[in-house]
Amino acid sequence: MKKKTPLEQLSCTNCSVYNCKTHSSQFPGFCLTTKDNGDQPIADDIEEIKQHLQCDNQDAVIAKASAQVEGLFYGKLTRVEEIIEFAGRIGAKKIGIATCAGLINESKIFADILTAKGLEHYSAICKVGAIDKTEIGLSEEDKIRPGNYEAMCNPILQARILNYHQTDLNVVVGLCVGHDSLFIKYSDAIVTTLVTKDRITGHNPVAALYTAHSYYKRLVQEKQ
Ligand code: SF4
């Protein structure tokens, strides 16, 4: 039987009214739109962010551009096109491509598309720097093919190179889980994702969620 979640731990994934989205019913008792966080009143946070985004700053430009791309092209544009539209609206001229080696061909196509749309680009592959995994303390057994040279992914160097080239918007193409975290952490430019790596599902990670109660039911089986 599913364990009951204590009231203080209920959050948006426990909600079924989504009144924040619709404004057509009532907020639930545990609602994150109405519940303070310790001594921090949530109304203050909401007001502060609203005022911040009403000003003339980079966050405001990004917030408005992304909302416009969502609103004006809802269901009409591919994500590739949405990124190009978003880049135009935030004034980005040079796009950084942080690509996985396994998706280099797709990144080449993306680069051609950017050129066709009048955008500059500069790319860095995940294996840049050519450091064998053992050089950072990993063992041969940690490799996909032990005993062979196996370059580590180097998202910090990817970010540094794109930073040196002063890209305005960096796009992740298939970086691994965690490598993407480091890339985002070290990127000077804001980051969006074109491709989220999932080797098993053809880079469509939501497939595991769609089928979590059928083919992938191992995902919802509780830890013993
Ligand atoms: S913010 Fe409130 S209404 Fe919106 S999903 Fe979370 S709990 Fe539900």
Side-chain angles (χ1 to χ4, degrees), residues 47-222:
E47 187 56 32
E48 199 182 297
I49 293 167
K50 196 167 73 181
Q51 287 189 16
H52 176 60
L53 297 181
Q54 286 167 353
C55 299
D56 184 19
N57 56 51
Q58 192 200 29
D59 292 347
V61 171
I62 293 167
K64 286 177 191 118
S66 45
Q68 286 167 342
V69 171
E70 179 195 17
L72 298 175
F73 304 103
Y74 196 85
K76 293 181 190 146
L77 297 185
T78 63
R79 191 169 177 105
V80 169
E81 294 167 304
E82 286 187 344
I83 289 172
I84 291 164
E85 191 63 40
F86 175 67
R89 285 169 187 270
I90 63 168
K93 305 233 176 316
K94 189 167 180 179
I95 309 302
I97 305 173
T99 184
C100 166
L103 282 139
I104 188 66
N105 289 330
E106 290 75 12
S107 286
K108 288 179 182 181
I109 294 167
F110 182 51
D112 287 344
I113 293 169
L114 294 175
T115 302
K117 301 302 175 195
L119 286 161
E120 270 185 79
H121 52 80
Y122 199 79
S123 56
I125 202 166
C126 58
K127 302 300 185 188
V128 66
I131 300 174
D132 187 82
K133 287 177 178 174
T134 55
E135 292 185 56
I136 61 160
L138 290 162
S139 68
E140 286 294 335
E141 287 64 46
D142 291 324
K143 291 182 174 179
I144 303 165
R145 286 172 216 83
N148 295 292
Y149 165 78
E150 206 165 280
M152 68 170 207
C153 291
N154 199 334
I156 298 177
L157 186 57
Q158 279 180 293
R160 280 193 189 188
I161 290 170
L162 297 183
N163 294 346
Y164 296 143
H165 285 265
Q166 298 185 318
T167 51
D168 301 311
L169 168 68
N170 288 336
V171 178
V172 167
V173 180
L175 297 186
C176 309
V177 170
H179 294 138
D180 56 359
S181 311
L182 278 174
F183 177 77
I184 292 165
K185 180 175 177 186
Y186 285 92
S187 169
D188 284 347
I190 59 162
V191 179
T192 191
T193 299
L194 175 57
V195 181
T196 302
K197 172 175 279 170
D198 189 333
R199 297 181 182 90
I200 303 301
T201 64
H203 310 305
N204 180 28
V206 75
L209 308 180
Y210 290 149
T211 56
H213 292 284
S214 54
Y215 307 117
Y216 282 104
K217 60 173 174 262
R218 68 170 190 252
L219 296 174
V220 288
Q221 277 159 3
E222 295 203 359

Side-chain angles (χ1 to χ4, degrees), residues 11-12 15-21 26-28 30-33:
S11 62
C12 294
C15 184
S16 53
V17 295
Y18 318 115
N19 193 41
C20 53
K21 183 180 174 204
Q26 293 205 319
F27 293 114
F30 61 84
C31 181
L32 277 66
T33 294

